[in-house]
Amino acid sequence: MLARTIDILGDLIAFPTVSADSNLAMIDYVASHLEECGAAVHLLRDPSGSKANLFATLGPQKDGGIVLSGHSDVVPVTDQDWSFDPFQMTKRDGRLYGRGSCDMKGFIAAVIAMAPTFAQAVQDRPLHFAFTYDEEVGCIGAGHLAQSLGDIGITPSVAIIGEPTEMRIIEGHKGCYEYTTKFQGLEGHGSAPDLGVNAVEYATRYVAFLLDLKDQLRTMAQPDSPFDPPWTTVNVGALTGGTVHNVIAPKAQVNWEMRPVQKRDADFVKSRLQDYCREVLLPKMQAVFPEASIQTEVVGEVDGLVPTLENEARQIVASLTGQNDAGVVPFGTEAGIFQNIGMDVVICGPGSIEQAHKADEYIAVDQLEQCLGMLKNLATNFDETGQ
């Protein structure tokens, strides 16, 4: 089974599924493997038609099934100094190199390799496969999939997300909310600043207010928060605007994000910013130039995975792996989207997040072996998971 998994991983890495490009060739490849096992396969295309989610089922078409999930897209390799062709798997010293090897085509390869075994094991409880697009740019595909499940008429109860955790059970992570805020001012000569509206100046005030909120969030941390740091964080990724020294900048842009521990923290930040713009910044800008504006675009709002006392997914994976503990991680995943539509969710997959997104990304062969061990135990005990 390991050799088959490695062969499939090599095929998957060869599909250059960078988020900016199509994933259809890889999705068709995976679909054909699952259809050969007798799975009912749904391809759910995005509005452009150039990308698709795959949702497939072994067993009865009914509620209460288990989902094995991963994303098909990978981050770019542009400006990274690779020692190997990033889209051709390279084997060396117990490692398998290639873009997406750990994040997260290694998990997908193991699941596809195990599909024929699962087909023989599944009886009364369905097993689903969910492979999404555009996780790396805001979990867009998973949001689309969550909406589509209602149309398909299936409500699974458990999801196992195979992000790289070195096969540790993860039951929680913060959300990831990303925004672009654009400022439209009025150009003018730098010698007459009162006759223009300097968009960079107002963007700077906006950032200063955002950083004040960042400090306030530190005081709002829950004493029992399992996260490190325990509070909701804010990061300003970029502030751009203006051209030369003596021209009043007519446009500016702030790219920023927050990682909320809880949704009310995000609501606090957004409402305070809206009030500040409406009551303070915009009146000053529009007193000079009525068409001045501040517009915030939502790049993505991905909710976190909230640890819960009762979690069937945690219980199942613990029994499969022999682990007694579950932890939290700082990075985001699609898990919260599945949780929000009623599933019990954990994250557990092969590879280390330390290798993800970097040049010479790799997955250790022994990590694939551990993942296959978990999946083989799932197949062996699948009829017991619904009891």
Side-chain angles (χ1 to χ4, degrees), residues 79-100:
D79 298 326
Q80 291 187 336
D81 186 15
W82 281 72
S83 304
F84 321 97
D85 182 342
F87 297 109
Q88 181 176 339
M89 187 178 70
T90 299
K91 305 176 185 178
R92 183 170 297 181
D93 299 327
R95 297 174 176 178
L96 306 171
Y97 291 87
R99 173 55 85 221

PDB file of all heavy atoms in Angstrom, residues 79-100:
ATOM      1  N   ASP A  79       9.801  32.721  -7.216  1.00  0.00           N
ATOM      2  CA  ASP A  79      10.852  33.351  -6.407  1.00  0.00           C
ATOM      3  C   ASP A  79      11.372  32.455  -5.282  1.00  0.00           C
ATOM      4  O   ASP A  79      12.068  32.938  -4.379  1.00  0.00           O
ATOM      5  CB  ASP A  79      10.385  34.696  -5.825  1.00  0.00           C
ATOM      6  CG  ASP A  79      10.058  35.713  -6.901  1.00  0.00           C
ATOM      7  OD1 ASP A  79      10.734  35.679  -7.949  1.00  0.00           O
ATOM      8  OD2 ASP A  79       9.148  36.524  -6.699  1.00  0.00           O
ATOM      9  N   GLN A  80      11.036  31.176  -5.308  1.00  0.00           N
ATOM     10  CA  GLN A  80      11.597  30.236  -4.333  1.00  0.00           C
ATOM     11  C   GLN A  80      12.762  29.480  -4.974  1.00  0.00           C
ATOM     12  O   GLN A  80      12.705  29.117  -6.146  1.00  0.00           O
ATOM     13  CB  GLN A  80      10.529  29.248  -3.851  1.00  0.00           C
ATOM     14  CG  GLN A  80       9.449  29.878  -3.000  1.00  0.00           C
ATOM     15  CD  GLN A  80       8.498  28.840  -2.405  1.00  0.00           C
ATOM     16  OE1 GLN A  80       8.343  27.750  -2.926  1.00  0.00           O
ATOM     17  NE2 GLN A  80       7.861  29.194  -1.301  1.00  0.00           N
ATOM     18  N   ASP A  81      13.777  29.236  -4.206  1.00  0.00           N
ATOM     19  CA  ASP A  81      14.985  28.586  -4.696  1.00  0.00           C
ATOM     20  C   ASP A  81      14.910  27.084  -4.420  1.00  0.00           C
ATOM     21  O   ASP A  81      15.353  26.596  -3.379  1.00  0.00           O
ATOM     22  CB  ASP A  81      16.218  29.199  -4.022  1.00  0.00           C
ATOM     23  CG  ASP A  81      17.522  28.664  -4.607  1.00  0.00           C
ATOM     24  OD1 ASP A  81      17.470  28.065  -5.699  1.00  0.00           O
ATOM     25  OD2 ASP A  81      18.576  28.851  -3.965  1.00  0.00           O
ATOM     26  N   TRP A  82      14.345  26.333  -5.365  1.00  0.00           N
ATOM     27  CA  TRP A  82      14.174  24.890  -5.222  1.00  0.00           C
ATOM     28  C   TRP A  82      15.421  24.154  -5.704  1.00  0.00           C
ATOM     29  O   TRP A  82      16.054  24.545  -6.689  1.00  0.00           O
ATOM     30  CB  TRP A  82      12.971  24.414  -6.033  1.00  0.00           C
ATOM     31  CG  TRP A  82      11.655  24.671  -5.367  1.00  0.00           C
ATOM     32  CD1 TRP A  82      11.028  25.881  -5.201  1.00  0.00           C
ATOM     33  CD2 TRP A  82      10.801  23.699  -4.755  1.00  0.00           C
ATOM     34  NE1 TRP A  82       9.841  25.724  -4.538  1.00  0.00           N
ATOM     35  CE2 TRP A  82       9.667  24.391  -4.253  1.00  0.00           C
ATOM     36  CE3 TRP A  82      10.875  22.317  -4.593  1.00  0.00           C
ATOM     37  CZ2 TRP A  82       8.628  23.739  -3.594  1.00  0.00           C
ATOM     38  CZ3 TRP A  82       9.833  21.666  -3.944  1.00  0.00           C
ATOM     39  CH2 TRP A  82       8.734  22.373  -3.445  1.00  0.00           C
ATOM     40  N   SER A  83      15.742  23.060  -5.020  1.00  0.00           N
ATOM     41  CA  SER A  83      16.834  22.195  -5.454  1.00  0.00           C
ATOM     42  C   SER A  83      16.367  21.175  -6.482  1.00  0.00           C
ATOM     43  O   SER A  83      17.205  20.523  -7.124  1.00  0.00           O
ATOM     44  CB  SER A  83      17.414  21.440  -4.247  1.00  0.00           C
ATOM     45  OG  SER A  83      17.825  22.328  -3.239  1.00  0.00           O
ATOM     46  N   PHE A  84      15.045  21.030  -6.625  1.00  0.00           N
ATOM     47  CA  PHE A  84      14.467  20.038  -7.524  1.00  0.00           C
ATOM     48  C   PHE A  84      13.342  20.710  -8.309  1.00  0.00           C
ATOM     49  O   PHE A  84      12.898  21.808  -7.965  1.00  0.00           O
ATOM     50  CB  PHE A  84      13.879  18.849  -6.748  1.00  0.00           C
ATOM     51  CG  PHE A  84      14.698  18.406  -5.565  1.00  0.00           C
ATOM     52  CD1 PHE A  84      14.390  18.831  -4.283  1.00  0.00           C
ATOM     53  CD2 PHE A  84      15.779  17.562  -5.731  1.00  0.00           C
ATOM     54  CE1 PHE A  84      15.133  18.427  -3.184  1.00  0.00           C
ATOM     55  CE2 PHE A  84      16.536  17.142  -4.647  1.00  0.00           C
ATOM     56  CZ  PHE A  84      16.212  17.583  -3.379  1.00  0.00           C
ATOM     57  N   ASP A  85      12.875  20.035  -9.332  1.00  0.00           N
ATOM     58  CA  ASP A  85      11.674  20.476 -10.030  1.00  0.00           C
ATOM     59  C   ASP A  85      10.509  20.359  -9.054  1.00  0.00           C
ATOM     60  O   ASP A  85      10.194  19.252  -8.595  1.00  0.00           O
ATOM     61  CB  ASP A  85      11.434  19.593 -11.255  1.00  0.00           C
ATOM     62  CG  ASP A  85      10.209  20.020 -12.063  1.00  0.00           C
ATOM     63  OD1 ASP A  85       9.358  20.757 -11.530  1.00  0.00           O
ATOM     64  OD2 ASP A  85      10.098  19.589 -13.222  1.00  0.00           O
ATOM     65  N   PRO A  86       9.838  21.467  -8.692  1.00  0.00           N
ATOM     66  CA  PRO A  86       8.793  21.386  -7.663  1.00  0.00           C
ATOM     67  C   PRO A  86       7.581  20.570  -8.084  1.00  0.00           C
ATOM     68  O   PRO A  86       6.812  20.139  -7.220  1.00  0.00           O
ATOM     69  CB  PRO A  86       8.422  22.855  -7.432  1.00  0.00           C
ATOM     70  CG  PRO A  86       8.857  23.571  -8.660  1.00  0.00           C
ATOM     71  CD  PRO A  86      10.060  22.842  -9.166  1.00  0.00           C
ATOM     72  N   PHE A  87       7.414  20.352  -9.389  1.00  0.00           N
ATOM     73  CA  PHE A  87       6.259  19.598  -9.857  1.00  0.00           C
ATOM     74  C   PHE A  87       6.646  18.238 -10.430  1.00  0.00           C
ATOM     75  O   PHE A  87       5.954  17.671 -11.270  1.00  0.00           O
ATOM     76  CB  PHE A  87       5.464  20.431 -10.868  1.00  0.00           C
ATOM     77  CG  PHE A  87       4.890  21.680 -10.254  1.00  0.00           C
ATOM     78  CD1 PHE A  87       5.395  22.929 -10.586  1.00  0.00           C
ATOM     79  CD2 PHE A  87       3.877  21.614  -9.302  1.00  0.00           C
ATOM     80  CE1 PHE A  87       4.887  24.079 -10.014  1.00  0.00           C
ATOM     81  CE2 PHE A  87       3.364  22.756  -8.721  1.00  0.00           C
ATOM     82  CZ  PHE A  87       3.869  23.998  -9.073  1.00  0.00           C
ATOM     83  N   GLN A  88       7.756  17.734  -9.923  1.00  0.00           N
ATOM     84  CA  GLN A  88       8.152  16.354 -10.198  1.00  0.00           C
ATOM     85  C   GLN A  88       8.689  15.770  -8.900  1.00  0.00           C
ATOM     86  O   GLN A  88       9.677  16.250  -8.359  1.00  0.00           O
ATOM     87  CB  GLN A  88       9.220  16.284 -11.284  1.00  0.00           C
ATOM     88  CG  GLN A  88       9.651  14.860 -11.612  1.00  0.00           C
ATOM     89  CD  GLN A  88      10.641  14.813 -12.768  1.00  0.00           C
ATOM     90  OE1 GLN A  88      10.715  15.740 -13.549  1.00  0.00           O
ATOM     91  NE2 GLN A  88      11.395  13.735 -12.850  1.00  0.00           N
ATOM     92  N   MET A  89       8.023  14.763  -8.377  1.00  0.00           N
ATOM     93  CA  MET A  89       8.408  14.231  -7.073  1.00  0.00           C
ATOM     94  C   MET A  89       9.830  13.680  -7.108  1.00  0.00           C
ATOM     95  O   MET A  89      10.221  12.962  -8.035  1.00  0.00           O
ATOM     96  CB  MET A  89       7.442  13.138  -6.628  1.00  0.00           C
ATOM     97  CG  MET A  89       7.681  12.644  -5.198  1.00  0.00           C
ATOM     98  SD  MET A  89       6.475  11.397  -4.687  1.00  0.00           S
ATOM     99  CE  MET A  89       6.982  10.008  -5.705  1.00  0.00           C
ATOM    100  N   THR A  90      10.608  14.032  -6.087  1.00  0.00           N
ATOM    101  CA  THR A  90      11.978  13.554  -5.944  1.00  0.00           C
ATOM    102  C   THR A  90      12.103  12.783  -4.636  1.00  0.00           C
ATOM    103  O   THR A  90      11.702  13.286  -3.577  1.00  0.00           O
ATOM    104  CB  THR A  90      12.965  14.744  -5.936  1.00  0.00           C
ATOM    105  OG1 THR A  90      12.865  15.438  -7.176  1.00  0.00           O
ATOM    106  CG2 THR A  90      14.393  14.251  -5.751  1.00  0.00           C
ATOM    107  N   LYS A  91      12.627  11.573  -4.699  1.00  0.00           N
ATOM    108  CA  LYS A  91      12.820  10.737  -3.517  1.00  0.00           C
ATOM    109  C   LYS A  91      14.269  10.864  -3.057  1.00  0.00           C
ATOM    110  O   LYS A  91      15.193  10.683  -3.855  1.00  0.00           O
ATOM    111  CB  LYS A  91      12.513   9.274  -3.825  1.00  0.00           C
ATOM    112  CG  LYS A  91      11.124   9.023  -4.407  1.00  0.00           C
ATOM    113  CD  LYS A  91      10.960   7.561  -4.774  1.00  0.00           C
ATOM    114  CE  LYS A  91       9.631   7.300  -5.467  1.00  0.00           C
ATOM    115  NZ  LYS A  91       9.493   5.875  -5.861  1.00  0.00           N
ATOM    116  N   ARG A  92      14.468  11.153  -1.786  1.00  0.00           N
ATOM    117  CA  ARG A  92      15.822  11.259  -1.258  1.00  0.00           C
ATOM    118  C   ARG A  92      15.808  11.116   0.259  1.00  0.00           C
ATOM    119  O   ARG A  92      15.074  11.836   0.940  1.00  0.00           O
ATOM    120  CB  ARG A  92      16.459  12.588  -1.664  1.00  0.00           C
ATOM    121  CG  ARG A  92      17.907  12.758  -1.206  1.00  0.00           C
ATOM    122  CD  ARG A  92      18.563  13.971  -1.840  1.00  0.00           C
ATOM    123  NE  ARG A  92      18.656  13.834  -3.291  1.00  0.00           N
ATOM    124  CZ  ARG A  92      19.206  14.761  -4.089  1.00  0.00           C
ATOM    125  NH1 ARG A  92      19.682  15.880  -3.562  1.00  0.00           N
ATOM    126  NH2 ARG A  92      19.265  14.559  -5.385  1.00  0.00           N
ATOM    127  N   ASP A  93      16.602  10.194   0.778  1.00  0.00           N
ATOM    128  CA  ASP A  93      16.836  10.053   2.217  1.00  0.00           C
ATOM    129  C   ASP A  93      15.539   9.954   3.026  1.00  0.00           C
ATOM    130  O   ASP A  93      15.375  10.603   4.057  1.00  0.00           O
ATOM    131  CB  ASP A  93      17.671  11.234   2.734  1.00  0.00           C
ATOM    132  CG  ASP A  93      19.036  11.314   2.062  1.00  0.00           C
ATOM    133  OD1 ASP A  93      19.581  10.249   1.723  1.00  0.00           O
ATOM    134  OD2 ASP A  93      19.539  12.438   1.859  1.00  0.00           O
ATOM    135  N   GLY A  94      14.628   9.130   2.542  1.00  0.00           N
ATOM    136  CA  GLY A  94      13.383   8.919   3.281  1.00  0.00           C
ATOM    137  C   GLY A  94      12.397  10.059   3.182  1.00  0.00           C
ATOM    138  O   GLY A  94      11.431  10.111   3.953  1.00  0.00           O
ATOM    139  N   ARG A  95      12.636  10.962   2.227  1.00  0.00           N
ATOM    140  CA  ARG A  95      11.738  12.105   2.039  1.00  0.00           C
ATOM    141  C   ARG A  95      11.252  12.145   0.593  1.00  0.00           C
ATOM    142  O   ARG A  95      11.981  11.753  -0.324  1.00  0.00           O
ATOM    143  CB  ARG A  95      12.446  13.418   2.376  1.00  0.00           C
ATOM    144  CG  ARG A  95      12.880  13.544   3.828  1.00  0.00           C
ATOM    145  CD  ARG A  95      13.709  14.804   4.022  1.00  0.00           C
ATOM    146  NE  ARG A  95      14.070  15.017   5.420  1.00  0.00           N
ATOM    147  CZ  ARG A  95      14.828  16.024   5.849  1.00  0.00           C
ATOM    148  NH1 ARG A  95      15.316  16.902   4.970  1.00  0.00           N
ATOM    149  NH2 ARG A  95      15.104  16.145   7.134  1.00  0.00           N
ATOM    150  N   LEU A  96      10.042  12.655   0.415  1.00  0.00           N
ATOM    151  CA  LEU A  96       9.446  12.827  -0.905  1.00  0.00           C
ATOM    152  C   LEU A  96       9.232  14.312  -1.129  1.00  0.00           C
ATOM    153  O   LEU A  96       8.394  14.940  -0.463  1.00  0.00           O
ATOM    154  CB  LEU A  96       8.123  12.062  -0.991  1.00  0.00           C
ATOM    155  CG  LEU A  96       8.220  10.570  -0.628  1.00  0.00           C
ATOM    156  CD1 LEU A  96       6.823   9.957  -0.518  1.00  0.00           C
ATOM    157  CD2 LEU A  96       9.045   9.815  -1.662  1.00  0.00           C
ATOM    158  N   TYR A  97      10.025  14.880  -2.048  1.00  0.00           N
ATOM    159  CA  TYR A  97      10.013  16.322  -2.276  1.00  0.00           C
ATOM    160  C   TYR A  97       9.063  16.680  -3.412  1.00  0.00           C
ATOM    161  O   TYR A  97       8.914  15.944  -4.382  1.00  0.00           O
ATOM    162  CB  TYR A  97      11.416  16.809  -2.642  1.00  0.00           C
ATOM    163  CG  TYR A  97      12.414  16.747  -1.508  1.00  0.00           C
ATOM    164  CD1 TYR A  97      13.147  15.587  -1.264  1.00  0.00           C
ATOM    165  CD2 TYR A  97      12.628  17.851  -0.686  1.00  0.00           C
ATOM    166  CE1 TYR A  97      14.071  15.528  -0.232  1.00  0.00           C
ATOM    167  CE2 TYR A  97      13.554  17.796   0.353  1.00  0.00           C
ATOM    168  CZ  TYR A  97      14.271  16.633   0.571  1.00  0.00           C
ATOM    169  OH  TYR A  97      15.189  16.573   1.593  1.00  0.00           O
ATOM    170  N   GLY A  98       8.443  17.845  -3.300  1.00  0.00           N
ATOM    171  CA  GLY A  98       7.579  18.361  -4.350  1.00  0.00           C
ATOM    172  C   GLY A  98       6.551  19.308  -3.763  1.00  0.00           C
ATOM    173  O   GLY A  98       6.162  19.182  -2.598  1.00  0.00           O
ATOM    174  N   ARG A  99       6.130  20.273  -4.580  1.00  0.00           N
ATOM    175  CA  ARG A  99       5.131  21.221  -4.090  1.00  0.00           C
ATOM    176  C   ARG A  99       3.827  20.497  -3.790  1.00  0.00           C
ATOM    177  O   ARG A  99       3.292  19.766  -4.617  1.00  0.00           O
ATOM    178  CB  ARG A  99       4.896  22.317  -5.126  1.00  0.00           C
ATOM    179  CG  ARG A  99       3.757  23.267  -4.805  1.00  0.00           C
ATOM    180  CD  ARG A  99       3.911  23.932  -3.414  1.00  0.00           C
ATOM    181  NE  ARG A  99       4.744  25.106  -3.438  1.00  0.00           N
ATOM    182  CZ  ARG A  99       5.630  25.408  -2.505  1.00  0.00           C
ATOM    183  NH1 ARG A  99       5.810  24.579  -1.480  1.00  0.00           N
ATOM    184  NH2 ARG A  99       6.338  26.504  -2.575  1.00  0.00           N
ATOM    185  N   GLY A 100       3.350  20.692  -2.566  1.00  0.00           N
ATOM    186  CA  GLY A 100       2.115  20.049  -2.124  1.00  0.00           C
ATOM    187  C   GLY A 100       2.324  18.690  -1.503  1.00  0.00           C
ATOM    188  O   GLY A 100       1.354  18.052  -1.075  1.00  0.00           O
TER     189      GLY A 100
END
